Amino acid sequence: RRSQELEEVARVARFYLALQGCQLGRFEEADAHLAKLGLSARLQDEIWAESCSQHLPQDFFVRVLDGGLPMNLLMGARDALGPESSYWGEHRYDDQEVAFYSHAHNLGQESHVVDQVIEALRPLLAEVAPEVAASVTVAEWWVHQRRPDQWHGHPLHFDTNEQLLRDSRGSFVEHPAVSTVVYLCDDSPRFGPTLVTDQELALVQKQVMRQSSAHVWAAFFS
């Protein structure tokens, strides 16, 4: 058992060394660690270097709006959801026994500062995707914070109806009509930007089967 525990620790350490190598641009070192973990694919060098020059396909819907929220609303959200706010303790954010949770916002409701943020985003959404803005009735929201030692960032994922996914044991997958990311903090070199891809869940499932801010900005993507 002791040997298995040490082996697992070594694998985790090698994974983080590979991740750090990619973040620092030492890609050959990273690839060597990944190969020893049996991994043969990763994000390309240009993504890590933030130097992608490819043009977005016309059918790839991503919009970045800089300075999209009023400053007084931003400051209110920062106060309500800052690292020292009561939100994190009241919701047991750091409790490992608590599973992922989110909140529901009925459009038109403005009882909480996040409700106000969502309502402020609706006119922006109407500008970039009027057909979506006209059809949505409910917004799901959640919030994350990252400590300085959490330099490894946030896992890549598909936005889905988590409850439906669990209840159906993975048989049914439901995605939101549109997803939005709002940053409430200043820019930091410790953390990279949000990465949005055009990868589809069905393609990933087939692959698995074969293998067995100083400025406030919001990003819309689907």
Side-chain angles (χ1 to χ4, degrees):
R1 178 176 175 82
R2 177 65 173 172
S3 176
Q4 291 178 339
E5 291 177 350
L6 291 176
E7 183 177 344
E8 180 61 23
V9 169
R11 287 180 58 83
V12 172
R14 191 175 294 282
F15 169 80
Y16 281 114
L17 285 172
L19 177 58
Q20 184 182 58
C22 289
Q23 292 176 321
L24 297 176
R26 301 202 294 258
F27 300 116
E28 290 186 2
E29 289 183 22
D31 289 343
H33 288 300
L34 292 173
K36 291 182 178 180
L37 291 173
L39 302 175
S40 58
R42 61 168 173 80
L43 296 175
Q44 63 186 35
D45 299 354
E46 289 79 7
I47 292 178
W48 292 103
E50 300 178 31
S51 62
C52 297
S53 58
Q54 298 180 15
H55 295 291
L56 289 177
Q58 292 185 351
D59 59 349
F60 185 34
F61 175 71
V62 177
R63 302 292 185 272
V64 177
L65 306 176
D66 210 353
L69 294 175
M71 186 55 67
N72 63 330
L73 182 56
L74 165 68
M75 299 309 296
R78 283 185 172 183
D79 290 341
L81 300 170
E84 305 303 323
S85 75
S86 60
Y87 173 88
W88 309 103
E90 291 173 353
H91 291 80
R92 299 169 61 191
Y93 180 77
D94 292 316
D95 190 336
Q96 295 184 358
E97 295 183 359
V98 176
F100 169 82
Y101 59 87
S102 63
H103 309 274
H105 165 82
N106 295 313
L107 298 189
Q109 173 184 327
E110 294 193 25
S111 58
H112 186 273
V113 66
V114 177
D115 296 327
Q116 298 170 30
V117 169
I118 295 172
E119 292 298 316
L121 289 172
R122 291 178 65 189
L124 303 179
L125 178 60
E127 291 180 15
V128 299
E131 69 286 354
V132 175
S135 64
V136 295
T137 58
V138 176
E140 179 191 22
W141 68 269
W142 60 91
V143 60
H144 288 297
Q145 65 165 315
R146 290 291 177 262
R147 301 186 306 270
D149 62 315
Q150 293 175 307
W151 52 269
H152 40 75
H154 195 76
L156 293 176
H157 63 279
F158 292 97
D159 282 350
T160 61
N161 183 332
E162 301 282 348
Q163 188 64 52
L164 177 62
L165 189 66
R166 286 193 294 268
D167 291 346
S168 67
R169 296 185 179 181
S171 299
F172 296 97
V173 180
E174 184 180 63
H175 302 293
V178 65
S179 293
T180 307
V181 178
V182 178
Y183 281 93
L184 300 176
C185 60
D186 294 330
D187 188 24
S188 169
R190 184 180 296 274
F191 301 109
T194 296
L195 173 66
V196 183
T197 78
D198 60 355
Q199 189 177 44
E200 298 181 3
L201 181 61
L203 177 61
V204 175
Q205 290 173 328
K206 290 179 181 178
Q207 292 173 337
V208 171
M209 289 175 65
R210 284 199 304 267
Q211 296 171 0
S212 160
S213 72
H215 298 285
V216 189
W217 64 270
F220 293 100
F221 54 94
S222 63

